[in-house]
C-alpha cells in the first residue's frame, strides 16, 4: 500500500475536531433543538358544488380527515378509488360512487348519519379522491404538507384515475403533455365536469391539464411514462435528506420528450446552505458556489431522451447559530407545464450526545494521528459501477490466440468494490446498506450514535440493532447491491462475500489485481450441474467423487486512468474538458483486463474499460 503522509492536514483536522467539540459542548449546555425553514407546501382546491375529482400532491400532517375537514363543513363526502383502474363503460355511467361498490372507500363527516359506515379515515399523498360539496356555492379547501414526488403507476390496456405533476403557472394541453408517450398519445381521457357532475371525454388538443385535478387516462399497453421530464432520486427516495452524515447528494433529470428542454432548478429558500459545482475555465478547477446566492437558479439544458445529473453539497458550517437542522423545497420546472417539488433537509453532523462520545469526537484523534504517520485512506467507502468488455481473444486461432480482438457488441457487468479505513480494497459479491441503531446505557445516554452500516454477513441481517436505511413506497428497507457475474466462495479471514485485491485504488496509474477462483463443485461453475449425472462430480453409483467439472480461474486487472471512459471516448483522442465534475473524487475508472483459465483448453483474454462511482463513505464492513 502507498504511504500518503499528511502531517499538515492532520494538524488542521485536529484543530477542526477541537472546534467541533467546543461547538457541540456549547449546544449541549444550551439544549438547542431548533430546525429552520420548512419542507412543506400548500395545496389549494377550488371545489364546485357537487362532485369534484382531485389529486393530492402533498402529505398533510395530521392526515386524518376529521381534522382536515373540521373547518370546511360544506364538504359532505370524500371517496377514494381502491383499484384506480376501470373500463370505459364504468366511466361513462359513473354517476355517484355507490356505497356497496368494492372498488371504493368513503368518508362522511361525523355530523352526517352515514358516518357510521366510514371505510376511509385518512388523506394520502399521490392519491386521487372524489369530493362532494353541498349547497350552491364554491368552496376553497387548503391543505398543507410535504410534497411526495413519485412516478405514476399505469395499468396496461385500462383507464387509470390519476393526477399529473403540472406547473399551475404554465398551462399545457393533454396532447402536448403526452406527445412523447406512445402509450398515451391519442388515447381517451375523461374529466369530471363541474357543470354536469358527470365524467366527460376531454378534447386533448385544446384542454389544459389542471394542477391538483384527477382524470381517467387510458394506457395502451405497458408504460413507465410519468411526465415529459422526470426527476429520479436515488434508491426510490422521496426526499433529498443529507441527514447528519452525507455531504453530497445527486439526482437525475430525465427528458422523455423528442426535443431538448431547459429545466430550472431552484430552492424555495436559503434555509438549507446548499452549494452547486461550477467549472472555472480560467482557474481550470471546480468551484462550489452558494445556491441560492451566487447561483440563484440552475438552468440545465437536457437533450432529448437524455439524463442530466444534478450535484448538491451542503455546508453545515453555514447553519445558523442555535440551529440543529434546516429544511426547504426544491422546485424543478421545464417552462412547458411540468413541475416537481422535492423536499430537502439537513441536520448538524454532531448532536449534543455525540459530543460526549470518545468514538464520536476525541476518539477520532488517534485515527487522525495514525493517518498522519502512516496510510491515509483517500477513497474510503463503497464503490459501484461497471466493467465493459469490448475485446476478446480468439482461442481457436492458430496464429494469435492471446491478443483481445474488438467485439461486435460490448458486454457490461457490475463491479462492487469496498475501500476500508486502512486502504484495504476488496471485491464485493453482495452487500446490504442498513441503519445501525444508536446504543444507550442504562441511564438513556447515547454511548454509540446511529449510523449507516454495510453488511456482507447474512447472519447480521436478522439481528436486532439494525433497521432499514431507505424509505421506499412508505416502507423503511435496506438497500441490497450485488453482482451476478462475479461469484466466489467466502475466504477464510475475510468478511463474507468479499475477496481482497492487491494494489492501490483511485489515482491515475494505480493498479488492482485479483484472482477469482471458481472450484469445480461451486454452484455457479458452468460445468457443474447438481442433477445431471454426467456433470455432478459423482461416480456412476453415486457412492464417491468423480471429477466431471473443471475449476475456473479469472485473473482481473484494473488500471486506473486520468480520463473518464464513459465521457472521454475515444480515449486515444478525447474531447477537451471531458471529465465530469467529481472525477477522481467520487468517480474513477480506467482499463479492465481479464484472463479466464479453465473455460477453454486455451486461456481466454479480454479487455475493456471500467467505471466506478462512490455510493457511500462507510469505511468498514459488518460494523
Amino acid at each position: 500500500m502507498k504511504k500518503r503522509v499528511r502531517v499538515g492536514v492532520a494538524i488542521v483536522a485536529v484543530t477542526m475536531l477541537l472546534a467541533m467539540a467546543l461547538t457541540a459542548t456549547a449546544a449541549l449546555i444550551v439544549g438547542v433543538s431548533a430546525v429552520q425553514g420548512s419542507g412543506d407546501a400548500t395545496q389549494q382546491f377550488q371545489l364546485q358544488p357537487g362532485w369534484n375529482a382531485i389529486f393530492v400532491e402533498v402529505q398533510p400532517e395530521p392526515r386524518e380527515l376529521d381534522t382536515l375537514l373540521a373547518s370546511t363543513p360544506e364538504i359532505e363526502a370524500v371517496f377514494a378509488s381502491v383499484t384506480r383502474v376501470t373500463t370505459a363503460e364504468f366511466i361513462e355511467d359513473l354517476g355517484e360512487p355507490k356505497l356497496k361498490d368494492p372498488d371504493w372507500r368513503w368518508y362522511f363527516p361525523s355530523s352526517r348519519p352515514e358516518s357510521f359506515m366510514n371505510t376511509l379515515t385518512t388523506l394520502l399523498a399521490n392519491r386521487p379522491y372524489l369530493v362532494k360539496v353541498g349547497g350552491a356555492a364554491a368552496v376553497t379547501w387548503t391543505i398543507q404538507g410535504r410534497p411526495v414526488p413519485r412516478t405514476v403507476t399505469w395499468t396496461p390496456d385500462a383507464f387509470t384515475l390519476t393526477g399529473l405533476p403540472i406547473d399551475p403557472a404554465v398551462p399545457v394541453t393533454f396532447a402536448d403533455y403526452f406527445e412523447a408517450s406512445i402509450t398515451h398519445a391519442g388515447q381517451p381521457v375523461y374529466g369530471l365536469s363541474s357543470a354536469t357532475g358527470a365524467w366527460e371525454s376531454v378534447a386533448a388538443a385544446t384542454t389544459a391539464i389542471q394542477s391538483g385535478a384527477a382524470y381517467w387516462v387510458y394506457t395502451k399497453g405497458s408504460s413507465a411514462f410519468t411526465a415529459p421530464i422526470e426527476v429520479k432520486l436515488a434508491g426510490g427516495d422521496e426526499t433529498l435528506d443529507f441527514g447528519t452524515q452525507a455531504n453530497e447528494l445527486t439526482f437525475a433529470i430525465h427528458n422523455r420528450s423528442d426535443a431538448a428542454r431547459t429545466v430550472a432548478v431552484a430552492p424555495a429558500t436559503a434555509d438549507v446552505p446548499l452549494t452547486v459545482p461550477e467549472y472555472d475555465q480560467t482557474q481550470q478547477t471546480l468551484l462550489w458556489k452558494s445556491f441560492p446566492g451566487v447561483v440563484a437558479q440552475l438552468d440545465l439544458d437536457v437533450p432529448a431522451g437524455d439524463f442530466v445529473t444534478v450535484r448538491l453539497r451542503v455546508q453545515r458550517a453555514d447553519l445558523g447559530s442555535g440551529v440543529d437542522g434546516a429544511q426547504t423545497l426544491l422546485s424543478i420546472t421545464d417552462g412547458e407545464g411540468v413541475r416537481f417539488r422535492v423536499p430537502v433537509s439537513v441536520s448538524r453532523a454532531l448532536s449534543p450526545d455525540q459530543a460526549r462520545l470518545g468514538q464520536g469526537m476525541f476518539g477520532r484523534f488517534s485515527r487522525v494521528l495514525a493517518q498522519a504517520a502512516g496510510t491515509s485512506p483517500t477513497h474510503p467507502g463503497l464503490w459501484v459501477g461497471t466493467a465493459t468488455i469490448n475485446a476478446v481473444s480468439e482461442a481457436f486461432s492458430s496464429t494469435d490466440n492471446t491478443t483481445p480482438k474488438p467485439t461486435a457488441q460490448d458486454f457490461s457487468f457490475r463491479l462492487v468494490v469496498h475501500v476500508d479505513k486502512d486502504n484495504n480494497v476488496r471485491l464485493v459479491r453482495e452487500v446490504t446498506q442498513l441503519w445501525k441503531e444508536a446504543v444507550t446505557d442504562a441511564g438513556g445516554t447515547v454511548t454509540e450514535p446511529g449510523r449507516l452500516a454495510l453488511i456482507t454477513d447474512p447472519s447480521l441481517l436478522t439481528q436486532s440493532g439494525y433497521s432499514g436505511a431507505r424509505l421506499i413506497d412508505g416502507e423503511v428497507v435496506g438497500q441490497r447491491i450485488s453482482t451476478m457475474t462475479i461469484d466466489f466462495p467466502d475466504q477464510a479471514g475475510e468478511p463474507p462475500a468479499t475477496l481482497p485485491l492487491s494494489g492501490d485504488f483511485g489515482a491515475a496509474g494505480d493498479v488492482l489485481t485479483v484472482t477469482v477462483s471458481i472450484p469445480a463443485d461451486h454452484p455457479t461453475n458452468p460445468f457443474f450441474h447438481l442433477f445431471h449425472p454426467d456433470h455432478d462430480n459423482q461416480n456412476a453409483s453415486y457412492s464417491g467423487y468423480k471429477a466431471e467439472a473443471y475449476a475456473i480461474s479469472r485473473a482481473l486487472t484494473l488500471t486506473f486512468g486520468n480520463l473518464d471512459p464513459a465521457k472521454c471516448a475515444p480515449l486515444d483522442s478525447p474531447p477537451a474538458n471531458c471529465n465530469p465534475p467529481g472525477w477522481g473524487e467520487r468517480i474513477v475508472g480506467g482499463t479492465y483486463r481479464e484472463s479466464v483459465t479453465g473455460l477453454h483448453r486455451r486461456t481466454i483474454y479480454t479487455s475493456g474499460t471500467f467505471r466506478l462511482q462512490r455510493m457511500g463513505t462507510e469505511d468498514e464492513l459488518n460494523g
Side-chain angles (χ1 to χ4, degrees):
M1 295 296 178
K2 291 181 180 176
K3 301 293 184 180
R4 305 175 191 258
V5 179
R6 300 261 203 287
V7 176
V9 173
I11 294 173
V12 173
V14 171
T15 304
M16 292 177 63
L17 286 171
L18 282 170
M20 292 167 65
L22 293 173
T23 302
T25 304
L28 175 62
I29 295 172
V30 177
V32 177
S33 60
V35 176
Q36 67 184 13
S38 173
D40 288 352
T42 297
Q43 187 174 9
Q44 194 172 81
F45 303 100
Q46 301 296 332
L47 304 177
Q48 301 301 316
W51 286 101
N52 300 262
I54 68 170
F55 188 77
V56 177
E57 299 176 348
V58 303
Q59 182 55 64
E61 294 295 346
R63 60 186 64 184
E64 287 72 25
L65 283 164
D66 281 338
T67 302
L68 295 172
L69 296 178
S71 60
T72 317
E74 297 89 348
I75 295 179
E76 297 181 346
V78 179
F79 277 65
S81 172
V82 176
T83 63
R84 296 178 65 183
V85 298
T86 189
T87 62
E89 290 77 12
F90 179 76
I91 291 176
E92 293 168 352
D93 301 333
L94 175 62
E96 293 192 3
K98 298 176 177 60
L99 297 182
K100 294 183 179 180
D101 194 322
D103 290 333
W104 292 88
R105 298 290 181 266
W106 49 85
Y107 166 86
F108 295 96
S110 58
S111 59
R112 295 183 61 87
E114 305 97 321
S115 62
F116 79 96
M117 298 185 297
N118 283 350
T119 56
L120 180 69
T121 59
T122 59
L123 199 72
L124 299 178
N126 284 309
R127 296 289 189 274
Y129 295 91
L130 297 183
V131 180
K132 187 177 183 180
V133 175
V139 173
T140 299
W141 183 34
T142 302
I143 60 175
Q144 184 172 349
R146 171 161 292 195
V148 182
R150 289 183 185 168
T151 57
V152 178
T153 302
W154 307 99
T155 299
D157 301 313
F159 282 91
T160 301
L161 183 61
T162 186
L164 299 167
I166 298 300
D167 185 349
V170 183
V172 58
T173 65
F174 284 94
D176 290 339
Y177 187 92
F178 287 119
E179 182 181 11
S181 174
I182 60 174
T183 58
H184 296 103
Q187 300 302 317
V189 177
Y190 287 82
L192 190 58
S193 170
S194 59
T196 65
W199 292 104
E200 297 180 354
S201 177
V202 304
T206 57
T207 303
I209 308 174
Q210 299 299 312
S211 174
Y215 302 89
W216 288 108
V217 181
Y218 191 80
T219 306
K220 186 176 179 61
S222 299
S223 177
F225 181 89
T226 291
I229 66 158
E230 296 173 2
V231 177
K232 307 290 186 181
L233 303 184
D237 286 352
E238 297 171 351
T239 67
L240 289 169
D241 182 14
F242 289 90
T244 60
Q245 295 184 355
N247 293 318
E248 181 175 333
L249 295 176
T250 64
F251 65 92
I253 298 174
H254 184 194
N255 180 4
R256 286 186 173 270
S257 71
D258 56 4
R261 296 201 176 199
T262 299
V263 178
V265 180
T269 67
D271 290 301
V272 177
L274 297 173
T275 60
V276 291
E278 188 173 288
Y279 190 78
D280 189 297
Q281 295 289 350
T282 303
Q283 301 182 40
Q284 293 290 296
T285 187
L286 194 67
L287 304 178
W288 288 86
K289 299 186 177 181
S290 61
F291 177 62
V294 176
V295 179
Q297 173 179 294
L298 293 177
D299 293 309
L300 308 172
D301 294 325
V302 188
D306 205 353
F307 289 83
V308 167
T309 299
V310 180
R311 299 174 63 190
L312 297 175
R313 281 187 180 178
V314 66
Q315 302 296 325
R316 287 186 177 82
D318 293 338
L319 284 171
S321 176
V323 174
D324 281 346
Q327 301 175 347
T328 190
L329 270 181
L330 206 62
S331 174
I332 303 167
T333 59
D334 68 347
E336 299 186 39
V338 179
R339 180 185 68 176
F340 288 91
R341 291 178 294 181
V342 179
V344 183
S345 58
V346 64
S347 301
R348 283 200 184 276
L350 288 175
S351 69
D353 284 333
Q354 289 172 319
R356 291 194 290 246
L357 300 177
Q359 176 186 350
M361 186 55 62
F362 293 102
R364 297 182 185 174
F365 290 141
S366 59
R367 179 183 298 180
V368 172
L369 295 175
Q371 290 173 359
T375 302
S376 176
T378 55
H379 296 87
L382 184 68
W383 295 78
V384 180
T386 57
T388 301
I389 303 299
N390 53 34
V392 180
S393 65
E394 298 174 342
F396 60 85
S397 174
S398 60
T399 57
D400 183 2
N401 49 48
T402 61
T403 303
K405 304 296 176 60
T407 57
Q409 290 184 328
D410 294 347
F411 170 70
S412 297
F413 56 90
R414 174 173 285 181
L415 287 176
V416 184
V417 176
H418 183 260
V419 184
D420 70 12
K421 59 181 178 293
D422 298 318
N423 271 339
N424 296 312
V425 187
R426 293 179 175 90
L427 196 62
V428 180
R429 187 178 66 227
E430 179 179 334
V431 62
T432 302
Q433 187 183 58
L434 296 175
W435 180 259
K436 187 173 184 179
E437 305 291 350
V439 178
T440 58
D441 60 19
T445 301
V446 175
T447 58
E448 182 180 340
R451 57 179 174 82
L452 291 173
L454 296 176
I455 305 300
T456 64
D457 185 349
S459 67
L460 297 178
L461 297 178
T462 56
Q463 287 190 8
S464 61
Y466 293 97
S467 61
R470 292 185 177 276
L471 183 66
I472 300 178
D473 292 334
E475 183 178 359
V476 179
V477 297
Q479 183 181 14
R480 177 175 174 268
I481 301 172
S482 63
T483 175
M484 60 184 295
T485 52
I486 299 181
D487 196 11
F488 47 83
D490 287 346
Q491 308 295 304
E494 290 292 328
T498 69
L499 192 64
L501 291 95
S502 300
D504 296 299
F505 183 100
D510 283 351
V511 178
L512 289 173
T513 60
V514 64
T515 298
V516 180
S517 298
I518 308 173
D521 59 351
H522 195 269
T524 57
N525 186 305
F527 294 115
F528 177 67
H529 299 275
L530 184 62
F531 301 107
H532 195 296
D534 295 334
H535 302 279
D536 60 358
N537 289 334
Q538 295 288 320
N539 60 23
S541 61
Y542 298 98
S543 60
Y545 178 82
K546 178 186 177 182
E548 294 176 324
Y550 303 97
I552 295 174
S553 177
R554 303 173 59 183
L556 283 55
T557 301
L558 285 70
T559 303
F560 291 84
N562 54 14
L563 293 175
D564 185 341
K567 302 294 185 181
C568 298
L571 296 179
D572 55 354
S573 57
N577 301 320
C578 58
N579 282 334
W583 174 256
E585 175 193 359
R586 65 179 185 88
I587 305 172
V588 295
T591 59
Y592 177 90
R593 293 186 178 275
E594 179 178 344
S595 60
V596 184
T597 305
L599 193 63
H600 188 271
R601 64 186 178 89
R602 289 174 174 161
T603 299
I604 298 173
Y605 300 89
T606 70
S607 64
T609 62
F610 75 94
R611 188 175 192 263
L612 299 170
Q613 294 191 67
R614 180 151 41 187
M615 303 297 291
T617 57
E618 296 78 36
D619 59 6
E620 65 177 318
L621 297 173
N622 304 310

